[in-house]
Amino acid sequence: AFVLFKMRIIIELLKGITGILKPFLYGAVIAYLLAPLCNKIEEKLFQTFPKANRKAKRFICFIAIVISLCVALAIVWMVIMLIIPQVWDSVMKIIDMVPQKITILNNWIEHMLENQPELQAYFEEFANQAESHINSLLNVDTIQKVQSIINSLSVQVFGVLGVLKNISLGFLISAYLLGSRKLFGAQAGLILHGVFPDKWAGIIEEEIRYTDKMFNGFFVGKIIDSAIIGVICFAGTTLMGFESAAFIGVIIGITNIIPFFGPFIGAIPCGLLLLLENPMHCLYFIIFIFVLQQLDGNVIGPKILGNTTGVSSFWVLFSILLFGGMWGVVGMVIGVPLFAVIYDIIRKLVYRGLRKHKRESMITDYEEKYHKS
């Protein structure tokens, strides 16, 4: 009853705590994504120096962490250097093209309405109202306008600086998390077996391993898949002679991390940019993205990811829409592996209940009919 009546206060408190701990959340995500690479580097170095003593092993772990962080920072820097100049050029081109495109559109509409006096009068009335509305907006007190612009820019600048601060601290915290990941794992095991009986501790431990396998396999595979799609998109748009090919390839590659809808989400701003430059390029680009999405969904994705989640296409779409509606872009990214974990827990509970009621034959029939065929 207390939780229900104080739900708003509890949510605000949790939001405040989350805001304070954002650098640790960023660091945990970065460390989790870099852990497989760090483990691989450690494994290779230990194979190269099999007789290393304890001090040398600690130094090898340190070298593996430094290399992993350098790789991550290099990738981030390359992406930023590809995006920012292209975005700046695209914005300046749009600013230069918009007046010309508006004039062309206005002339085209007037030409189309030459023989339609009623529609022409309606269009002129609409244009006059729009012009008067724009003039009324421009005639607002200049001091108030400048003050609102400065306030808006200040909020945006502080927001960007806050994100950059959290990411910078996140990389620093991720180094400590990577260095202590084995210690934290051992401590978690002690807590788990200290709080729960051995039976339940084993069940929880097994489910945690499954969750780690699901998220790790999905994210690593999806990042590799998205990098390949970005390179293919860059090569295709370059061959077709599109401007801002690098910018388009990066946007399509990044948004491809979102399952199912990712390529289309990235195609919208890129398509609008190409539409302003050349409408035919926009049409070719839409066809190219559709073919690329089919190639990724039927060939590249299954080869890299396989059946990582074990979830059907219907539940993939359901999880993206559900968690995307709840948590936005983050929900769309983590929705599929999270739903796969929930699906696995429900499946195990149902199977446990069937075995408890002596219905093993139903499990066998279901597996043979829907999973082994």
Side-chain angles (χ1 to χ4, degrees), residues 51-82:
K51 297 182 179 180
N53 56 28
R54 186 174 180 179
K55 189 175 181 180
K57 287 181 178 179
R58 290 180 63 182
F59 182 73
I60 287 173
C61 294
F62 171 76
I63 293 297
I65 293 170
V66 171
I67 294 174
S68 302
L69 290 173
C70 288
V71 170
L73 290 171
I75 293 172
V76 171
W77 180 256
M78 287 173 60
V79 171
I80 291 174
M81 287 298 100
L82 280 173

Side-chain angles (χ1 to χ4, degrees), residues 280-301:
M280 292 305 297
H281 283 181
C282 179
L283 177 62
Y284 297 152
F285 176 71
I286 292 172
I287 297 171
F288 174 71
I289 287 298
F290 180 77
V291 173
L292 185 62
Q293 196 272 341
Q294 295 298 315
L295 177 67
D296 181 38
N298 297 301
V299 180
I300 300 175

Side-chain angles (χ1 to χ4, degrees), residues 150-192:
I150 291 174
N151 291 336
S152 178
L153 288 175
S154 300
V155 171
Q156 297 296 327
V157 168
F158 279 114
V160 172
L161 290 177
V163 172
L164 292 176
K165 180 202 74 171
N166 290 333
I167 292 175
S168 302
L169 290 174
F171 271 100
L172 180 63
I173 292 168
S174 67
Y176 288 99
L177 292 174
L178 286 171
S180 305
R181 66 189 186 279
K182 296 176 183 177
L183 173 62
F184 290 154
Q187 291 174 345
L190 291 176
I191 294 171
L192 187 63

Side-chain angles (χ1 to χ4, degrees), residues 218-342:
F218 179 82
F219 284 133
V220 173
K222 200 64 183 171
I223 288 171
I224 296 172
D225 174 54
S226 299
I228 294 172
I229 292 299
V231 171
I232 294 175
C233 183
F234 170 70
T237 50
T238 301
L239 290 174
M240 287 187 284
F242 294 172
E243 296 186 20
S244 307
F247 173 71
I248 294 173
V250 171
I251 294 298
I252 295 298
I254 291 174
T255 55
N256 191 68
I257 295 175
I258 300 173
F260 197 81
F261 296 107
F264 301 108
I265 294 173
I268 293 172
C270 298
L272 292 174
L273 176 63
L274 292 172
L275 181 64
L276 290 173
E277 295 176 353
N278 190 329
M280 292 305 297
H281 283 181
C282 179
L283 177 62
Y284 297 152
F285 176 71
I286 292 172
I287 297 171
F288 174 71
I289 287 298
F290 180 77
V291 173
L292 185 62
Q293 196 272 341
Q294 295 298 315
L295 177 67
D296 181 38
N298 297 301
V299 180
I300 300 175
K303 288 289 184 183
I304 296 174
L305 293 170
N307 193 18
T308 305
T309 59
V311 178
S312 65
S313 301
F314 171 79
W315 291 118
V316 168
L317 181 60
F318 175 83
S319 61
I320 293 171
L321 293 176
L322 174 63
F323 294 108
M326 293 171 62
W327 302 323
V329 177
V330 175
M332 296 178 76
V333 173
I334 69 171
V336 175
L338 179 59
F339 184 83
V341 173
I342 297 171

Side-chain angles (χ1 to χ4, degrees), residues 43-57:
E43 183 181 345
K44 294 294 183 181
L45 291 176
F46 285 143
Q47 290 176 357
T48 306
F49 304 99
K51 297 182 179 180
N53 56 28
R54 186 174 180 179
K55 189 175 181 180
K57 287 181 178 179

